Amino acid sequence: MEKRKINPQEKIDQVIRAARKLFVKKGYRGVAIPEIVKESGVSVGAIYLHFGNKEKLAETVYEVTLRRFMGLFSERLSGKESIQGKLRAFSELAFEITEEDSEMMEYMLSVRKEIRSDLLLPLCSSDAFKEVQMIINDGIASGEIKSGSDLVAAVSYTGVIIRAVELRLQGVLEQPLQEISDELIKNAWAGIVAE
Amino acid sequence: MEKRKINPQEKIDQVIRAARKLFVKKGYRGVAIPEIVKESGVSVGAIYLHFGNKEKLAETVYEVTLRRFMGLFSERLSGKESIQGKLRAFSELAFEITEEDSEMMEYMLSVRKEIRSDLLLPLCSSDAFKEVQMIINDGIASGEIKSGSDLVAAVSYTGVIIRAVELRLQGVLEQPLQEISDELIKNAWAGIVAE
DNA sequence: GTCTATAGCCCGATAGAC
DNA sequence: GTCTATCGGGCTATAGAC
């Protein structure tokens, strides 16, 4: 703890942050390694030593971001018991991240199959979506959510939330999402609640 | 009509179609001109003669696709009088294009600011979205849609529809959208209808 | 371990034959 | 008008000094 020799992990984090920022702005192929060098302050050699190549770097950025989001989501979920409360927790987390770490949210929505890697699907279609879908399954089972396809219900609910995030990031929605959070969550819920 | 000399417009269209297909698959920067040559059967020289450069080609692809979508949308809207009917027309058009010309829909959802050009916002945030918002404004004025922010209502409705399209294109939704169209449209409407 | 310098490659755009 | 051959530039990845 007292040793204070420069932490290699710190450099790695700087590279990941810089890379994500640039990927969001210009896309994977639009970002050259020398740009990441300038943005992160870490040299080309160090980047290739730690990440191997550009594609591996992108995959690491993806995994770190995904892990962080799922961690935050789990935290928020704990303690919530009602279906409605869990879905509200998901929505409010999405809104908060959008306002407080818009770069992270923008990255999650913009990751596409630009990279050859087949593993890189848009974050919000993968684990987080599955988690929401399980919550909705429970809601249908308990009768709180109207019966029908559970997938359709999940699409309907998350659609409202994610679209709001997208349009906020694009500047179409000018107020912070927290200010319209209640209205949005009410609409999303109204779409799927049992009458 | 009998002259039958090769139509230059035909070649242009082939290039546009090929370029859009490849842009969807690999992103603007991921596509090299020689690939477009191979896909379209039109030579490098001809492409540069007609489009000037790669960026202009991308802009043309964008404009042509936008114009086509807005045209189809206008057609569908004519004759519809109720607010609910107009919104249904929008939704069903989106679902139909997704199933019958998935490349066009995927392009519309995937166009990002990859190109330097500032004019290229995601299609579904621009004119089509504004059109839907006007319909919703009318609905609020007439009392069919619950009062509140008109933007929020538009976000809520289109969110359900667009998210369904996205997940269908990604293969998460396995049935054709027409089969779940009614359920989706009912959910989207339930989110914003006056009680 | 970390850097800079550069090799090697591929792309966009053009020039000039037909 | 349409083609092919090619140039210059910028990229990723590596080699070798420190």
Side-chain angles (χ1 to χ4, degrees), chain A residues 125 129 133 149-156, chain B residues 95 98-99 160-178 180-181 184:
Chain A
S125 311
F129 182 72
Q133 204 184 316
S149 161
D150 52 317
L151 252 173
V152 170
V155 167
S156 301
Chain B
F95 295 159
T98 304
E99 299 298 336
V160 175
I161 306 305
I162 292 174
R163 181 103 180 113
V165 167
E166 276 175 358
L167 291 175
R168 171 65 175 148
L169 290 171
Q170 285 166 28
V172 176
L173 293 172
E174 290 169 4
Q175 311 165 51
L177 289 173
Q178 280 87 348
I180 52 174
S181 170
L184 284 164

Side-chain angles (χ1 to χ4, degrees), chain A:
Chain A
M1 245 221 185
E2 277 311 289
K3 286 179 68 183
R4 212 70 209 101
K5 65 180 172 191
I6 35 158
N7 190 342
Q9 182 61 38
E10 207 168 294
K11 286 203 170 189
I12 292 179
D13 286 346
Q14 280 170 347
V15 173
I16 292 174
R17 255 195 306 277
R20 195 177 67 188
K21 178 175 171 182
L22 292 168
F23 287 162
V24 166
K25 203 156 62 181
K26 312 170 74 173
Y28 172 71
R29 289 184 224 247
V31 179
I33 301 291
E35 283 181 274
I36 299 176
V37 170
K38 221 194 293 179
E39 180 76 28
S40 67
V42 178
S43 73
V44 184
I47 290 176
Y48 275 92
L49 182 73
H50 287 301
F51 297 99
N53 59 34
K54 190 182 171 186
E55 194 172 326
K56 279 267 181 64
L57 167 58
E59 280 172 25
T60 306
V61 169
Y62 174 80
E63 278 158 23
V64 165
T65 305
L66 174 62
R67 207 183 343 266
R68 170 123 185 279
F69 180 78
M70 290 310 290
L72 291 170
F73 189 28
S74 295
E75 271 179 36
R76 290 303 182 93
L77 233 52
S78 80
K80 302 291 183 300
E81 299 200 348
S82 73
I83 302 298
Q84 199 175 356
K86 286 179 185 173
L87 292 176
R88 173 177 285 273
F90 165 78
S91 309
E92 285 175 346
L93 175 61
F95 295 160
E96 262 182 56
I97 295 176
T98 304
E99 298 298 335
E100 282 157 31
D101 190 355
S102 63
E103 203 176 285
M104 174 180 176
M105 186 51 86
E106 206 164 340
Y107 175 81
M108 293 202 293
L109 293 176
S110 71
V111 173
R112 301 266 167 200
K113 52 195 168 183
E114 264 198 287
I115 313 177
R116 193 187 44 71
S117 163
D118 308 308
L119 293 171
L120 242 94
L121 36 149
L123 291 195
C124 281
S125 311
S126 59
D127 296 86
F129 182 72
K130 282 178 203 144
E131 186 76 31
V132 170
Q133 204 184 316
M134 281 172 52
I135 298 170
I136 285 180
N137 284 349
D138 294 344
I140 294 174
S142 75
E144 284 175 76
I145 295 174
K146 67 185 170 195
S147 66
S149 161
D150 52 317
L151 252 173
V152 170
V155 167
S156 301
Y157 190 93
T158 60
V160 175
I161 306 305
I162 292 174
R163 181 99 179 116
V165 167
E166 276 175 358
L167 290 175
R168 171 64 175 149
L169 289 172
Q170 284 168 28
V172 176
L173 293 172
E174 288 169 4
Q175 315 164 50
L177 289 174
Q178 280 88 350
E179 290 177 21
I180 51 173
S181 170
D182 285 343
E183 204 179 342
L184 284 164
I185 292 174
K186 213 163 58 182
N187 288 0
W189 181 251
I192 62 169
V193 67
E195 69 287 326

